Amino acid sequence: MTININIISGFLGVGKTTLLRKIIPNIKGKVVLIENEFGDIGIDGDLIDSELPIREIYSGCICCTLVHDFKKAIEELAIKYKPDHILIEPSGVGSLSDITKICKKIRETSNIDIKINNLITIVDIKGFNNYIEDFGGFYLDQIENANIIFLSHLGGVGNRELEEVVSKIRLNNKEAFILKEDWYSYNGEKIIEMLNDIKKSPVQFKGKYSLETANKVFSSFSIDNPRTFKEKEIKDTLNDLIDLDYGLVLRAKGILNLDNNKVIHFDFTPQHYDWEYIEKTSETKVIVIGSDLKNEKISRCFQ
């Protein structure tokens, strides 16, 4: 039996977990998930259907520092669950070319019959130009090696700006299917139908930039059991993280208790942030990813 590998890639905070939450209940067959968190705690796994077999891999990227753990996760999940599909959500700073290369090597050197199916990269249209300028190699690797590209955070973006970004993406990937529509408004069933109907370009390894490992460029800071917040504090706290006095915060996410006995999940990038109520969870936690982070100052926001 062939196991389909589907990788949901994209830079920090583009909406990878949102896409997974939509499509997982609508995929036919048995599904398992590998979640890779660059930081030393996991957030996204808590937001996925708890009945789904999930392997969470922390403290680095499965493309470089955690290659052994990644290979082991694929092999163990394949043997134990015999799934039809393995979904992989890499770290936002992971190299898609390297992850693809590792999957191909597993296929060639093991008895596990895997096939790389969808290489989806989600591009934050509002952060595109900044990320290209600041993190060119890391960012472009995910775009160049995708065979499907979704655009996220289209609210308030005009057609001219949209087409400018699409044109720049095309300079780096001429073959990928690019979805220009706002998939956030689609239900999972429609997205799966669309993925099945897309005529995808063959998966090809397109080379790799000469990149440092992600942990030499980015750092993370985690907080266990953050303080209880008042609801009106959330917006101000997330606004504060834009200030460079905290370092360059590229991504923050977490689960927080409110003083009204509710629990929220929040997402932050420099371009946008939001939060939502979620079911109560046993753990509250925060993870912050960026460059030159001022950990003590960040800690005072949450403790």
Side-chain angles (χ1 to χ4, degrees), residues 111-162:
N111 294 322
I112 301 170
D113 183 11
I114 61 174
K115 173 188 175 184
I116 299 174
N117 186 18
N118 294 318
L119 295 176
I120 301 173
T121 291
I122 306 176
V123 174
D124 179 348
I125 197 164
K126 292 180 180 177
F128 179 85
N129 289 319
N130 287 338
Y131 292 150
I132 283 284
E133 182 177 347
D134 295 338
F135 307 106
F138 284 97
Y139 197 62
L140 287 172
D141 182 89
Q142 298 176 357
I143 291 171
E144 286 192 352
N145 288 279
N147 61 5
I148 299 172
I149 293 175
F150 280 18
L151 304 178
S152 66
H153 303 297
L154 295 174
V157 174
N159 190 61
R160 181 176 176 179
E161 182 181 353
L162 172 64

Side-chain angles (χ1 to χ4, degrees), residues 198-257:
I198 290 172
K199 185 178 179 180
K200 297 181 284 288
S201 59
V203 174
Q204 296 179 353
F205 176 63
K206 300 177 183 176
K208 179 178 181 294
Y209 291 90
S210 179
L211 301 178
E212 296 182 88
T213 56
N215 61 355
K216 292 185 178 179
V217 179
F218 306 96
S219 60
S220 67
F221 177 59
S222 59
I223 299 169
D224 288 313
N225 301 312
R227 66 182 175 88
T228 298
F229 277 72
K230 296 179 180 178
E231 188 170 308
K232 62 183 180 181
E233 289 182 278
I234 303 299
K235 182 177 179 180
D236 290 340
T237 299
L238 298 182
N239 263 328
D240 286 345
L241 294 179
I242 298 171
D243 195 322
L244 291 178
D245 285 347
Y246 294 86
L248 179 56
V249 178
L250 295 168
R251 180 78 162 112
K253 54 185 174 179
I255 297 172
L256 301 173
N257 283 325

Side-chain angles (χ1 to χ4, degrees), residues 49-278:
D49 180 1
S50 61
E51 295 183 4
L52 183 76
I54 300 175
R55 181 64 55 85
E56 294 184 281
I57 305 175
Y58 308 129
S59 301
C61 289
I62 56 176
C63 61
C64 50
T65 57
L66 300 175
V67 171
H68 175 74
D69 293 345
F70 179 43
K71 289 180 178 177
K72 185 178 179 182
I74 288 182
E75 291 166 354
E76 289 181 350
L77 287 170
I79 293 168
K80 182 175 181 180
Y81 295 102
K82 297 180 174 52
D84 300 288
H85 306 275
I86 297 178
L87 302 182
I88 301 169
E89 181 182 359
S91 152
V93 294
S95 163
L96 183 55
S97 62
D98 276 343
I99 295 167
T100 305
K101 190 175 180 181
I102 294 164
C103 290
K104 289 183 176 180
K105 189 171 183 179
I106 292 172
R107 183 183 64 197
E108 292 166 359
T109 60
S110 75
N111 294 322
I112 301 170
D113 183 11
I114 61 174
K115 173 188 175 184
I116 299 174
N117 186 18
N118 294 318
L119 295 176
I120 301 173
T121 291
I122 306 176
V123 174
D124 179 348
I125 197 164
K126 292 180 180 177
F128 179 85
N129 289 319
N130 287 338
Y131 292 150
I132 283 284
E133 182 177 347
D134 295 338
F135 307 106
F138 284 97
Y139 197 62
L140 287 172
D141 182 89
Q142 298 176 357
I143 291 171
E144 286 192 352
N145 288 279
N147 61 5
I148 299 172
I149 293 175
F150 280 18
L151 304 178
S152 66
H153 303 297
L154 295 174
V157 174
N159 190 61
R160 181 176 176 179
E161 182 181 353
L162 172 64
E163 292 301 330
E164 285 177 354
V165 171
V166 170
S167 295
K168 291 177 181 177
I169 291 173
R170 277 284 173 239
L171 291 174
N172 294 282
N173 190 328
K174 297 186 182 343
E175 295 87 20
F177 173 87
I178 301 176
L179 178 67
K180 300 180 186 179
E181 302 166 32
D182 185 6
W183 58 270
Y184 271 66
S185 63
Y186 294 169
N187 62 32
E189 185 178 2
K190 182 170 182 178
I191 294 173
I192 290 296
E193 287 178 3
M194 188 168 53
L195 290 174
N196 290 335
D197 290 341
I198 290 172
K199 185 178 179 180
K200 297 181 284 288
S201 59
V203 174
Q204 296 179 353
F205 176 63
K206 300 177 183 176
K208 179 178 181 294
Y209 291 90
S210 179
L211 301 178
E212 296 182 88
T213 56
N215 61 355
K216 292 185 178 179
V217 179
F218 306 96
S219 60
S220 67
F221 177 59
S222 59
I223 299 169
D224 288 313
N225 301 312
R227 66 182 175 88
T228 298
F229 277 72
K230 296 179 180 178
E231 188 170 308
K232 62 183 180 181
E233 289 182 278
I234 303 299
K235 182 177 179 180
D236 290 340
T237 299
L238 298 182
N239 263 328
D240 286 345
L241 294 179
I242 298 171
D243 195 322
L244 291 178
D245 285 347
Y246 294 86
L248 179 56
V249 178
L250 295 168
R251 180 78 162 112
K253 54 185 174 179
I255 297 172
L256 301 173
N257 283 325
L258 300 182
D259 64 352
N260 59 7
N261 292 320
K262 293 184 179 180
V263 180
I264 66 162
H265 165 251
F266 75 86
D267 269 308
F268 167 93
T269 73
Q271 288 76 35
H272 36 72
Y273 60 80
D274 56 36
W275 55 270
E276 62 178 346
Y277 295 115
I278 62 172

